[in-house]
Every structure is written in structure tokens, then in C-alpha cells.
Amino acid sequence: MKKLTALLTIAILAATCTTGCGKLSKPKLDSWQVELLEAEGLPTEYSELTAEQKHFIDRVGEMINYLNQKYDAEFVYYDYEPPELLNSEKLYAYPKSTGIGNGKYLVTVKARNGGFEDDFYDFSVAKLAEDMVNEFLLTQFKEDEFKLFHQTYACDIKMSEIENGDFQWKYGGSFILFLKEDICNINNVENLALKYSKFFYEHRLSGSNRINILKNIPDDPQTSWGTCYNWYDDEKNYVGYCSFSLNSNPKKIIMNSYAPNENILNRNEYSIEECFNDIN
């Protein structure tokens, strides 16, 4: 009987502590969570938050901690989208080591099946791909004659697995190139595109490519991959484009070119052999 009384007493004390004591069960916010609440204009005391605000700061904390622990790195909060009827909740963050990079290094975390999934990849692979493309372009043009914007679509390869610039068709991205018309006009852009595509093929680098011709390249350091499409709408400056895509072990390449002001629309299909045999 004494043992039962003692157990009941312990249970009552434990219940009292988790409710009455309060302080022992109060969630502890990390310093960055407190700073985030301040930036959002919300109370920094957890007990003063509404249920919706508590859900926000709790889930953001869980998602950031998920990234930190999975990749043994520190990630910085950027934005959060609460769950909706047809969409799961999402967190946007970026590695502290790289910064946001005009959105280039943003990572998306989604709630899925009671856990999380993300699209983080080795950013050093993305940088290598972009650097190699830029190096190739510098063999063809001067630095002020072109502008390249690049965004990763998929990355299933690590830096340690890349030898001699061979991406093994395990990296894919979008490469949007802008050239000045006085060094490459709409009539010879496809010849350049063939040489350009050979570079991607030799390095087994997948992705979609678009070569745009402009009368002049705007001097705007704030323009990024996500906003450069605004340059397409400048009718006085935009001349046209040539586009092509390369996927794993392609057998052919399709070139599409378009010049809106001259009403030029071409579509040419090349086998890999005829596309590259005569190109040095």
C-alpha cells in the first residue's frame, strides 16, 4: 500500500511539474529563432505566441535542424510556406558557407510522409560546371561580350567522382547565355550552338541551353538566372535565340532558333555523328 501511495505521489508531482511548474516544459528557442521572431515582428516569448505562430517557429526549427544534422553544416532560414490544401509545407534555406548567391544556393525542404525531404546537392559540383562553361566561352569571346546564367536542375554526382571534367550525365542544369550581336548574329548562332553543344557532349553535361542574341548586354549586377528572362521582352535590344537540350547518351540534337523581329523560325535535327565530326 505504501508503494502504491508513493507511486501515485510521484505521478501527481510529475503532472504538476509539467503543467503548474510550466518552466520545465517550456520549449527552448534557439537564438536564431528568437531573431527570426523579432524580424517577423512577433513576440519572442514562446508563451505569448498564438497557436499558429508556435506551429510556424516549431516547424521552421525542425526543418532547419533536419538540414543541419543531415549535412553536418549550418543552414540559414530564408522563407516558409505553410501547408495548403494541395501543397505540403515548405522551408527555403541556404548554407551559411555559401550565402544565398542570388538564389542560386537556395535549398527547399518539404514535409513528406511524416518526415522531410530536400533538394540540397554538392554546390561545388555546380560551381565546377559553371566555371568550365565560362572557361570554354572565354576561348571563343572576350569577357565583356557574353553573360552566362546557370541554375542546377539535378545533381547525382559528388566532386570526388568527377575526373577530367566528366560529369557522367549525372549533373543537369539550365544554362542561359547572352551574346552581343556584333560578335554573333542570328544567322550564325546555330554554328556556334553546334560547337557549344559539342563541349557539353564531351563532358557529358546534361541540361537545357539557350543562346540569346542582344544588341547590347545590360550592365545590371542584380540580374540572375531567375530574372534574366526580362531581357527577352526588350524589343529594341533583343534579337533572337537558339536553343538545344542534351540528356543522357543522346543520339541526336535538335536546334531551335527564332528571331521575332525578322520572323525567322528554324528547327534542325542533327545526329551526333554529323553534328560533331566536322567541328574542331
Side-chain angles (χ1 to χ4, degrees), residues 64-164:
I64 288 289
N65 288 333
Y66 155 81
L67 287 173
N68 290 347
Q69 293 173 15
K70 181 177 179 180
Y71 297 107
D72 191 24
E74 186 175 351
F75 285 79
V76 179
Y77 169 85
Y78 180 75
D79 197 11
Y80 172 79
E81 293 180 7
E84 297 178 350
L85 183 60
L86 299 177
N87 297 311
S88 63
E89 61 183 326
K90 298 176 185 176
L91 171 88
Y92 300 94
Y94 57 88
K96 187 176 181 180
S97 60
T98 64
I100 194 170
N102 278 337
K104 182 188 301 185
Y105 301 125
L106 274 181
V107 179
T108 305
V109 180
K110 298 179 182 178
R112 184 65 56 89
N113 299 324
F116 302 120
E117 65 179 23
D118 64 88
D119 61 359
F120 180 71
Y121 54 87
D122 190 341
F123 287 115
S124 57
V125 174
K127 186 177 187 306
L128 175 63
E130 184 171 323
D131 287 347
M132 287 179 59
V133 175
N134 267 310
E135 287 172 8
F136 168 78
L137 291 170
L138 285 171
T139 66
Q140 308 295 314
F141 312 107
K142 297 178 181 178
E143 189 173 359
D144 62 349
E145 294 176 335
F146 71 91
K147 184 70 176 178
L148 178 70
F149 297 101
H150 160 236
Q151 177 75 13
T152 299
Y153 281 166
C155 181
D156 296 316
I157 190 170
K158 298 177 181 178
M159 279 292 286
S160 59
E161 299 171 330
I162 299 174
E163 295 184 6
N164 299 318

